[in-house]
Amino acid sequence: MKKQKKIVINRDNVEEFVRSRNTSKDYSNKTRMQRQKLYIQTYTNQLKTKLTNDYSITLQKMYDFYSKLKQLVLQLFYEEDK
C-alpha cells in the first residue's frame, strides 16, 4: 500500500490544488479530477461537522459569506455593463 501524503489546503493554495494539471503527463486530468473530488468530500465533511457542533453560528457564517459573494458578483456584473 502506498503511503498517503498529507496536504494542507488553505486560501493561498486551494485554487492550484483543484485546478492545476501537468499537461505533459498522461492522465493528469484524471489526477486533477480526483483532487477536486477529494476537496469537495473534505469540504462537505467539515461543513457537516460544523453544522452538527454549532448549527446556528455555522449557518450565520455561511449566510454572511454568500451574501458578500452575491454582492461582489453583482458588482462585477454591474461594472461589466458600463
Side-chain angles (χ1 to χ4, degrees):
M1 183 184 280
K2 269 186 160 179
K3 184 177 180 181
Q4 296 294 321
K5 184 176 178 181
K6 184 174 181 176
I7 299 172
V8 177
I9 302 297
N10 57 43
R11 67 175 49 163
D12 297 327
N13 65 2
V14 66
E15 184 177 6
E16 182 179 353
F17 180 77
V18 296
R19 294 187 68 190
S20 68
R21 140 180 194 197
N22 186 346
T23 56
S24 65
K25 290 186 179 181
D26 289 340
Y27 305 108
S28 68
N29 188 49
K30 183 177 179 182
T31 304
R32 178 178 57 97
M33 289 175 11
Q34 289 171 337
R35 287 194 314 269
Q36 290 170 341
K37 183 177 178 181
L38 175 64
Y39 177 79
I40 290 169
Q41 288 171 336
T42 303
Y43 177 87
T44 304
N45 289 338
Q46 288 181 354
L47 181 57
K48 285 178 185 177
T49 299
K50 287 179 183 283
L51 286 167
T52 300
N53 292 339
D54 197 337
Y55 182 81
S56 60
I57 288 178
T58 303
L59 200 59
Q60 184 63 50
K61 287 180 178 180
M62 290 172 60
Y63 178 80
D64 293 345
F65 172 78
Y66 288 111
S67 294
K68 290 175 185 176
L69 183 62
K70 178 184 170 187
Q71 290 172 355
L72 178 62
V73 168
L74 289 174
Q75 181 181 359
L76 290 172
F77 281 126
Y78 177 74
E79 289 176 1
E80 214 173 74
D81 289 343
K82 284 184 178 182

